[in-house]
Amino acid sequence: MVLILCITEVVSWGSLYYSLPAAVGAISADTGWTIVTITACFSAGLVVSAVVGVAVGRILDRWGPRIVMTAGSVLATAGLLALANATTVTGFLAAWLVIGIAQAAVLYQPAFTVIARHYGADRDKPMLILTLAGGLASTIFVPITLGLLTALDWRTTYLVLAGVLAVVTIPLHLLLPTTRDTKAQPVAPERGRQGPVVKSRQFVFLAAGITVMTFSAYAVTLNLLPLVVERGYSAAVAATAFALVGVGQVIGRIGLTVLTRTVRPQHRPFVVGVFVAVTLALFAVIPGPVWMIAVVSLLAGAARGALTLVQATAVPTRWGNARLGELNGVFSAPITAATALAPVAGAALATGLTSYPVAAAVFAGVAVAGAVCAFFADRQSSRPTRNPSQGELADEGQRLAATDT
């Protein structure tokens, strides 16, 4: 299962997400549409992905990953085909909206749910492997897309990407289990009621905290090129710094996995949030030299990578696996939307303040607020929140069965 998801996540992220940054210049040159317009259509698709993620999660709970992720691959293929044939901005936008629906069914959120339900308390290592593989998507598909664009126009390039997506991901997703094949970890009955969970102070504060942290991290790192250039460095140095953020994500995911041995799950969001805030503050106060910019870029990438794993494990760690798809969908919806809006917000704030480093300082403060919010999320009661053990859950189930009898 992990191998299947690693392959499909790389191809899905590469074709449905990282292909556009590589192709946006060619699309703009051919169509005359501005880069802002093209990027806005892409961001609209991400917002749709966030909105429909809750419904996709419910379907995932009911029908299992085989149906959901296979259907998502088919819809993603159709969206890429529509994208390749779009002749107007309206058609281009409609294609990205279709792709956004597909993203909700094939990217990290459903994959995290599948891993958490299948492996239960042993989920950390499989999730690390999955996110490490997913982190290679940009490394693999940005050069592939650029290479295709040297020989083909952007429309034919997307036709090729649609073909690759269909040939690789559809048959592999058909090998995933159905609901009947999935060995879901037992959960205490009160954990199975989705309504009270999503309305709880803990859920709301934790989702808000991680959303704010993610928004801040992406607002700065996705605007790293103009920030570094503003410091007086060349575009080549800025591009290298941006690439190091991707390398740092791998380091951060491995580092968080090591951290889990000493830091309790309830403390990890706060620790990672503080780390995010520190790295953003470093962008604000360190003007150079080049090697320092490189180090800070690596650290910022590590913070982003750790944040991805914190998000992936937040729900199953606290509320078990009952209706995990739906809970994950609700939890990740604002995070996905924040990721979509962060680049524009970062550029807008920097423009308003006439300085990208000053904007980074502001976002560092916002990240601190997110970390504090996450800290208080797990301090809602005098008793620490924890996951019951398998034995405790079994004993609880037997007690309730005896009571019902």
Side-chain angles (χ1 to χ4, degrees):
M1 179 184 292
V2 175
L3 178 61
I4 289 172
L5 290 174
C6 284
I7 296 171
T8 60
E9 287 302 300
V10 167
V11 175
S12 297
W13 275 101
S15 57
L16 302 177
Y17 190 93
Y18 291 110
S19 62
L20 185 71
V24 64
I27 296 172
S28 178
D30 178 62
T31 61
W33 306 332
T34 66
I35 291 179
V36 173
T37 298
I38 296 168
T39 306
C41 293
F42 172 71
S43 297
L46 291 176
V47 173
V48 167
S49 175
V51 172
V52 304
V54 180
V56 170
R58 293 194 187 107
I59 299 171
L60 183 63
D61 288 335
R62 181 178 179 86
W63 298 104
R66 181 185 301 170
I67 292 175
V68 171
M69 299 192 79
T70 302
S73 290
V74 172
L75 188 61
T77 302
L80 289 178
L81 293 175
L83 190 70
N85 290 282
T87 57
T88 65
V89 172
T90 302
F92 191 78
L93 172 62
W96 276 112
L97 298 182
V98 172
I99 292 172
I101 298 173
Q103 287 172 334
V106 299
L107 295 186
Y108 272 152
Q109 293 316 312
F112 288 155
T113 300
V114 173
I115 292 291
R117 297 189 70 172
H118 189 79
Y119 289 95
D122 299 322
R123 60 184 165 263
D124 286 349
K125 184 176 179 181
M127 281 191 176
L128 171 63
I129 295 171
L130 178 65
T131 54
L132 289 179
L136 297 174
S138 60
T139 305
I140 295 171
F141 270 83
V142 168
I144 286 177
T145 304
L146 291 173
L148 289 172
L149 288 169
T150 60
L152 308 169
D153 61 22
W154 72 270
R155 298 182 187 277
T156 308
T157 295
Y158 269 105
L159 290 177
V160 172
L161 292 176
V164 171
L165 181 76
V167 169
V168 174
T169 66
I170 293 176
L172 287 179
H173 283 157
L174 283 170
L175 298 177
L176 292 173
T178 63
T179 301
R180 293 186 300 275
D181 302 324
T182 303
K183 298 177 181 178
Q185 177 186 358
V187 292
E190 67 270 21
R191 293 172 177 257
R193 296 195 299 269
Q194 181 261 359
V197 170
V198 300
K199 295 178 182 178
S200 68
R201 174 183 170 183
Q202 184 183 21
F203 188 96
V204 172
F205 271 55
L206 188 63
I210 294 180
T211 297
V212 170
M213 288 183 251
T214 303
F215 179 76
S216 301
Y218 277 78
V220 175
T221 57
L222 292 181
N223 285 290
L224 190 56
L225 273 71
L227 187 153
V228 175
V229 169
E230 185 178 322
R231 289 294 195 187
Y233 297 102
S234 67
V237 171
T240 301
F242 187 78
L244 288 174
V245 172
V247 176
Q249 288 188 104
V250 175
I251 298 172
R253 287 162 186 169
I254 296 174
L256 183 66
T257 303
V258 174
L259 190 67
T260 57
R261 300 173 184 174
T262 57
V263 179
R264 294 180 61 188
Q266 289 76 16
H267 299 154
R268 292 170 201 163
F270 174 72
V271 172
V272 172
V274 171
F275 185 32
V276 170
V278 169
T279 59
L280 301 186
L282 290 176
F283 277 127
V285 300
I286 294 180
V290 171
W291 69 268
M292 283 294 294
I293 298 293
V295 169
V296 175
S297 299
L298 279 172
L299 292 174
R304 258 179 50 175
L307 199 54
T308 300
L309 277 182
V310 165
Q311 176 191 345
T313 57
V315 173
T317 297
R318 291 162 179 79
W319 295 283
N321 291 336
R323 303 182 73 175
L324 180 58
E326 184 174 1
L327 285 175
N328 259 341
V330 176
F331 190 86
S332 64
I335 299 172
T336 304
T339 303
L341 299 175
V344 177
L349 182 62
T351 301
L353 297 174
T354 67
S355 171
Y356 278 92
V358 173
V362 173
F363 282 116
V366 174
V368 169
V372 172
C373 192
F375 177 83
F376 283 106
D378 286 317
R379 295 297 180 275
Q380 61 174 334
S381 63
S382 58
R383 292 188 304 172
T385 302
R386 67 181 182 89
N387 264 339
S389 66
Q390 295 283 354
E392 291 172 330
L393 292 170
D395 291 342
E396 177 69 6
Q398 292 173 1
R399 184 188 68 77
L400 289 170
T403 302
D404 292 341
T405 301

